[in-house]
Amino acid sequence: MPKISPSDITPEHAYLSRRSFMAGMGALLVSSVALSACGGQDPTPGPAPATMPPSPSANTDELGQRLTSYEAVSNYNNFYEFSLRKEDVARLARDFKTSPWTVEVAGLVHNPKTFGLEDLLAFTQEERVYRLRCVEAWSMVIPWLGFPLARLLKEVEPMTKARYVRFETLYDPEQMPGQKSPFYGWPYVEGLRLDEAMHELTILATGLYGSPLLPQNGAPVRLVVPWKYGFKSIKSIVRIELVEEMPVSLWMASAPREYGFFANVNPEVSHPRWSQATERLIGEGKRIRTTLFNGYGEQVAHLYEGMDLSQWY
Amino acid sequence: MVLISWLKRSWLQALAHATGLLPLAWLIWDHLHGAFIVDPVREITTRTGRTALVLLVLSLACTPIHTLLGLKSVLRVRRGLGLYAFLYVALHFLTFAGLDYRFQWDLLGPAIFDQLYVLPGFAAGLILLVLAITSARGWQKRLGRNWKRLHRLVYLAGILAIVHFLWLVKDTGEPLRYGAIVALLLILRVPRVREAVSNVRR
Ligand code: HEM
């Protein structure tokens, strides 16, 4: 494979369906206000709400796989802070308070800064249709709305010493009953190497299907790293820290033999207890073969050149 | 009238049939009413697997209940509960092989033999298959004393099913609770424990 340096990757991948949301931004703000204003109502249920915006700009990903339905995306969630049962998360997360919300960006940066949600929405929002591959061997295709993490990181000016980025989810056991479980070392922590974090495909998502994120999907802001297993894409982020040492994620701490730092999608490297060779595409009722880096190898393989991927799982 | 007198005599058998059949009826009902919107394959797999485990544990509980409470009639439902457990294991496996893997043999082989968590389930399934076949009276006669020895394997099937459950989840609380029940039932069958317990009863 020819070596590609990050700068060779055109910032605008023609095949990524996306849409400039300059105009939509206002609407987005309005709709998020509207959502929080009708707190008593049920924002999650059944079929797409009547206000369901702006249909996504594409019906498939760049490989032609159809989008997973909005209903499935918002009713089948791994979010252990609320429940271990994927079908229960939407109900238990319904009243989760997502505003006011701030994300503190600190650590080895020249310009530490706390971003309010409105500051995050001020970054130009664009649509990215990504495959999401869960470590449990199922997958979805989701039209996210968000912006490259690199843009936020550039604003805080990482120091040259900074080598990793550490992310933290809100810790609030009153709102997130799952955090009362003593089995996990809350809060949820995830990490990326700085070059992974700066990669064009890595985004902070604030919405999906054209509307603001629902609590069960990690509202109000979450990470999306499409070539890694879903658990890397940490939800409801309150803190981003640039650090020198490789952060220890919640999953690395609780089962180090099963969950590593990199967690790149890889059909050749099995989970110790199950195979990653295939995945069930939710909604399509069919099983497909898993591909290396979840099909984003062309863009990201160079990040791992010379690394033994079965050792750095 | 006939039914009522049968129910009076055999209420426990009626209960066992209900326990064996209602989960299936419920599963079909839910499916027809569109309860499994997102991932029906997983829903059916986990429901049949769970039902199989519960029925297996119930059939394992029959003998200890007999020794503990002296309730002889439980012994008459033991085989039926075991056969129902096998029914759900068969459905569980067919869901896995047919609905999930669509009988794609090139995928199915590795799916069974390269996945640590499937292996104990598969072994338990094979044991239950052999036990279901040999549960018929004819086989009972033919195998004589060996029949009893063979059917002790049901405990191994129980343990393997627990290991299967344990290895497929991230949160081990529930399989460990089932494991504790199976361990207790196993301990109650150790001859010295059994004697001590039935002495207390007398
Ligand atoms: C015959 C071979 C077997 C195969 C191929 C098999 C396969 C599976 C699979 C694929 C799952 C679902 C994993 C997931 O997506 O969460 C599962 C779950 C399960 N199976 Fe099996 N299994 C087998 C035998 C058994 C047997 C014999 C039992 C018990 C008697 C059993 C009990 C369970 C239980 C309790 C679950 C978990 C349900 C839950 O998560 O709620 N399985 N099995």
Side-chain angles (χ1 to χ4, degrees):
Chain A
M1 220 197 85
K3 191 176 166 170
I4 328 167
S5 81
S7 58
D8 289 338
I9 298 177
T10 39
E12 299 281 330
H13 299 283
Y15 53 81
L16 281 181
S17 59
R18 52 161 74 164
R19 207 192 217 186
S20 171
F21 258 78
M22 283 307 273
M25 227 171 63
L28 198 70
L29 272 169
V30 170
S31 53
S32 59
V33 170
L35 259 182
S36 50
C38 57
Q41 278 179 22
D42 180 353
T44 53
T51 52
M52 208 177 94
S55 43
S57 54
N59 293 319
T60 66
D61 67 5
E62 80 282 7
L63 303 178
Q65 293 186 147
R66 255 181 304 179
L67 297 185
T68 307
S69 73
Y70 183 72
E71 190 180 21
V73 171
S74 48
N75 285 293
Y76 194 76
N77 313 99
N78 264 333
F79 202 166
Y80 280 17
E81 280 83 340
F82 292 103
S83 169
L84 304 183
R85 264 182 59 82
K86 295 184 247 301
E87 294 84 352
D88 287 349
V89 172
R91 183 172 49 82
L92 291 167
R94 191 155 52 196
D95 298 325
F96 183 62
K97 264 189 69 179
T98 55
S99 86
W101 191 275
T102 57
V103 179
E104 185 190 0
V105 187
L108 302 173
V109 294
H110 292 292
N111 185 22
K113 196 173 161 184
T114 296
F115 293 84
L117 188 54
E118 33 333 311
D119 306 321
L120 297 176
L121 290 171
F123 286 97
T124 307
Q125 309 286 309
E126 51 192 77
E127 188 173 82
R128 300 276 182 105
V129 176
Y130 283 159
R131 294 174 287 287
L132 174 91
R133 169 61 158 81
C134 178
V135 74
E136 298 167 348
W138 52 266
S139 61
M140 293 183 172
V141 181
I142 303 175
W144 299 103
L145 210 57
F147 60 95
L149 174 64
R151 279 201 235 142
L152 178 130
L153 292 179
K154 275 175 200 145
E155 265 195 29
V156 296
E157 298 169 34
M159 296 175 183
T160 43
K161 265 199 306 200
R163 295 200 44 224
Y164 293 93
V165 187
R166 181 181 181 279
F167 304 84
E168 218 177 279
T169 296
L170 177 71
Y171 179 68
D172 184 355
E174 288 312 307
Q175 285 205 80
M176 297 172 140
Q179 290 177 336
K180 290 176 184 159
S181 158
F183 294 108
Y184 300 103
W186 307 108
Y188 201 94
V189 168
E190 260 310 337
L192 292 175
R193 218 168 52 191
L194 189 56
D195 57 345
E196 299 175 320
M198 296 296 285
H199 193 281
E200 162 66 17
L201 289 179
T202 304
I203 60 168
L204 284 178
T206 56
L208 56 81
Y209 265 98
S211 39
L213 283 181
L214 293 170
Q216 62 266 41
N217 297 116
V221 58
R222 65 170 294 168
L223 185 70
V224 180
V225 195
W227 70 93
K228 292 177 181 281
Y229 292 119
F231 67 85
K232 292 296 290 183
S233 293
I234 183 170
K235 303 190 181 89
S236 306
I237 300 169
V238 291
R239 193 174 153 82
I240 298 175
E241 195 182 348
L242 283 102
V243 295
E244 205 174 342
E245 304 283 326
M246 181 184 283
V248 178
S249 70
L250 176 136
W251 283 113
M252 287 162 76
S254 69
R257 278 191 51 248
E258 306 198 339
Y259 307 100
F261 177 79
F262 287 95
N264 291 316
V265 175
N266 189 339
E268 303 288 325
V269 178
S270 297
H271 183 281
R273 294 178 281 137
W274 59 82
S275 154
Q276 299 291 15
T278 62
E279 65 203 52
R280 195 156 62 237
L281 189 51
I282 298 295
E284 302 287 314
K286 68 176 179 194
R287 197 167 265 279
I288 56 175
R289 283 179 197 275
T290 294
T291 52
L292 183 60
F293 300 120
N294 207 17
Y296 300 97
E298 218 176 289
Q299 295 93 296
V300 302
H302 68 275
L303 296 173
Y304 309 102
E305 216 164 291
M307 272 172 67
D308 177 354
L309 294 178
S310 57
Q311 190 191 339
W312 297 103
Y313 54 93
Chain B
M1 278 320 285
V2 181
L3 183 67
I4 289 177
S5 63
W6 180 79
L7 272 179
K8 261 190 194 148
R9 256 183 302 119
S10 318
W11 60 273
L12 200 61
Q13 261 137 309
L15 191 67
H17 284 300
T19 314
L21 290 171
L22 284 178
L24 182 59
W26 184 30
L27 185 75
I28 293 169
W29 172 273
D30 274 355
H31 181 60
L32 293 179
H33 287 77
F36 309 150
I37 32 168
V38 180
D39 192 354
V41 172
R42 180 173 151 273
E43 198 70 39
I44 298 170
T45 311
T46 52
R47 291 252 299 247
T48 49
R50 245 158 217 267
T51 312
L53 184 60
V54 170
L55 287 166
L56 186 61
V57 169
L58 285 176
S59 92
L60 285 175
C62 287
T63 307
I65 287 178
H66 171 233
T67 25
L68 272 179
L69 308 174
L71 210 65
K72 202 155 177 138
S73 50
V74 286
L75 294 183
R76 276 192 287 156
V77 298
R78 186 173 56 184
R79 187 177 80 155
L81 287 171
L83 283 171
Y84 276 123
F86 175 70
L87 168 71
Y88 286 92
V89 169
L91 292 172
H92 185 61
F93 181 75
L94 282 175
T95 312
F96 174 82
L99 288 182
D100 195 348
Y101 284 87
R102 305 286 164 108
F103 298 114
Q104 301 180 62
W105 304 110
D106 54 326
L107 299 182
L108 205 48
I112 294 173
F113 298 107
D114 294 350
Q115 305 206 83
L116 197 57
Y117 83 95
V118 172
L119 285 173
F122 192 67
L126 286 180
I127 292 177
L128 292 177
L129 173 68
V130 171
L131 300 193
I133 292 171
T134 58
S135 71
R137 296 250 190 281
W139 276 100
Q140 215 160 332
K141 285 213 190 89
R142 219 173 308 167
L143 290 172
R145 282 188 46 203
N146 286 332
W147 187 89
K148 205 160 186 182
R149 285 200 200 135
L150 179 67
H151 279 247
R152 284 210 186 107
L153 283 177
V154 72
Y155 271 98
L156 181 60
I159 293 167
L160 288 168
I162 299 289
V163 174
H164 168 58
F165 195 2
L166 207 59
W167 281 352
L168 68 90
V169 292
K170 281 195 218 148
D171 185 67
T172 51
E174 223 189 334
L176 286 179
R177 282 194 286 279
Y178 279 103
I181 296 173
V182 170
L184 180 72
L185 294 175
L186 199 55
I187 289 168
L188 284 173
R189 302 207 53 166
V190 173
R192 280 170 75 187
V193 178
R194 193 176 55 200
E195 274 156 35
V197 168
S198 42
N199 281 343
V200 168
R201 196 166 54 85
R202 268 189 230 118

